[in-house]
Structure formats: structure tokens, C-alpha cells
């Protein structure tokens, strides 16, 4: 069952990435690198667990809760994605923070009760792979989020 979920998730991610490449939001070489990382990963749970550890060590739990259920900031476990649910937007939001994302031309497409800015974590995560691990963990606690289309 876990492998079937992983295969479905990879297919959905591939479809969303292909759409982003066509729109010019993602370059083909970046897509290929992301898919290679995802498809060569044999243990999704292991990567998600590593992502949860990175999430906790970066202090994300202080705002979003240890399990992603929210707190003083929006939950990661519901269907409300303030800037959009796609991987590219999440990667940019985490790396740049909400102010940096807005400076890059993004805007809020949905609302949550909490509207404070998210700080940038691009300098806190040592590699982009670490940031992708956090996104993998986010997908593991909110699997339906991977099937949502980009909103921007």
C-alpha cells in the first residue's frame, strides 16, 4: 500500500511539474533532478521522517505545531494553502518567506485566521534536499495536498 501511494504521489507530482515546465515556472533540468531524487528513493517514510526532524530542528513546530496541525500559524494539514499547494510554491515560500514570495510576484489566493508573515528559511536549511525532505514530510501528513493544482 505504501509503494502504491508513493507511485501515485510521484505520478501526480510529475504531472504538476510538467505543467509548471510548460508555463515556464520550472526549468526542465530542475524537474529532472527532482524526479530523479524522488523516484530513486526507496523509502518514502524514511525521507518523510528525516524531513520531520529538519522541520523540528528548524523550529517550524513553534508556529505550525509539531504535527503540522497549526498553532499561531496556519496548519499544514488542511486544504487551505495561502499561496498555493504545489511543490514549487511551497519550496519558494519556505526558502524566501512570505514577504520574499510576495516580492517575487506571488499573492495570497486563500485566507487563514492567522495572517502574519512567514520568515525565510532558505538560510537555515543547509541544502535544497533538506528543504525537499520537509516538503515530503508535509505531504506525508497531508497526502491530498500533493494532488492540488498550482494556483499561481
Amino acid at each position: 500500500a505504501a509503494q502504491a501511494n508513493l507511485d501515485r504521489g510521484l505520478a501526480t507530482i510529475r504531472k504538476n511539474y510538467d505543467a509548471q515546465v510548460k508555463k515556464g515556472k520550472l526549468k526542465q533540468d530542475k524537474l529532472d533532478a527532482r524526479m530523479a531524487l524522488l523516484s530513486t528513493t526507496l523509502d518514502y517514510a524514511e525521507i518523510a521522517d528525516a524531513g520531520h526532524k529538519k522541520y523540528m530542528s528548524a523550529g517550524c513546530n513553534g508556529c505550525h505545531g509539531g504535527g503540522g496541525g497549526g498553532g499561531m500559524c496556519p496548519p499544514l494539514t488542511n486544504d487551505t494553502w495561502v499561496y498555493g499547494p504545489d511543490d514549487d510554491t511551497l519550496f519558494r515560500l519556505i526558502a524566501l518567506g512570505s514577504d520574499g514570495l510576495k516580492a517575487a510576484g506571488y499573492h495570497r489566493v486563500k485566507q487563514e485566521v492567522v495572517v502574519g508573515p512567514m520568515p525565510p528559511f532558505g538560510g537555515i536549511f543547509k541544502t535544497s534536499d533538506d528543504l525537499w525532505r520537509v516538503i515530503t514530510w508535509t505531504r506525508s501528513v497531508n497526502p491530498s495536498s500533493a494532488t492540488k493544482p498550482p494556483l499561481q
Side-chain angles (χ1 to χ4, degrees):
Q3 186 62 45
N5 285 340
L6 176 60
D7 291 342
R8 276 194 303 278
L10 288 172
T12 300
I13 289 169
R14 180 65 194 220
K15 181 179 174 185
N16 288 340
Y17 282 169
D18 284 340
Q20 290 178 41
V21 168
K22 286 179 185 172
K23 290 180 181 178
K25 288 189 167 191
L26 182 66
K27 297 203 181 297
Q28 187 68 44
D29 61 334
K30 295 285 187 189
L31 166 64
D32 294 340
R34 288 179 189 175
M35 292 309 296
L37 173 68
L38 289 171
S39 62
T40 58
T41 302
L42 299 177
D43 192 349
Y44 178 78
E46 184 178 306
I47 292 198
D49 185 54
H52 188 234
K53 288 176 180 159
K54 296 288 181 189
Y55 169 91
M56 297 294 281
S57 68
C60 304
N61 60 311
C63 296
H64 295 287
M72 63 185 214
C73 292
L76 307 175
T77 54
N78 69 12
D79 284 336
T80 303
W81 296 92
V82 175
Y83 293 96
D86 60 286
D87 287 347
D88 184 63
T89 301
L90 292 180
F91 187 95
R92 291 170 190 264
L93 175 61
I94 296 167
L96 303 173
S98 56
D99 289 341
L101 195 65
K102 286 191 265 186
Y106 287 75
H107 59 279
R108 288 177 175 265
V109 292
K110 294 201 174 182
Q111 295 294 321
E112 270 289 344
V113 175
V114 180
V115 295
M118 177 172 163
F121 283 84
I124 294 174
F125 293 110
K126 300 210 183 302
T127 68
S128 61
D129 284 351
D130 286 344
L131 205 151
W132 284 115
R133 287 178 182 96
V134 171
I135 292 172
T136 300
W137 175 76
T138 302
R139 298 298 187 209
S140 78
V141 296
N142 189 347
S144 68
S145 67
T147 63
K148 308 289 183 198
L151 299 176
Q152 299 192 52

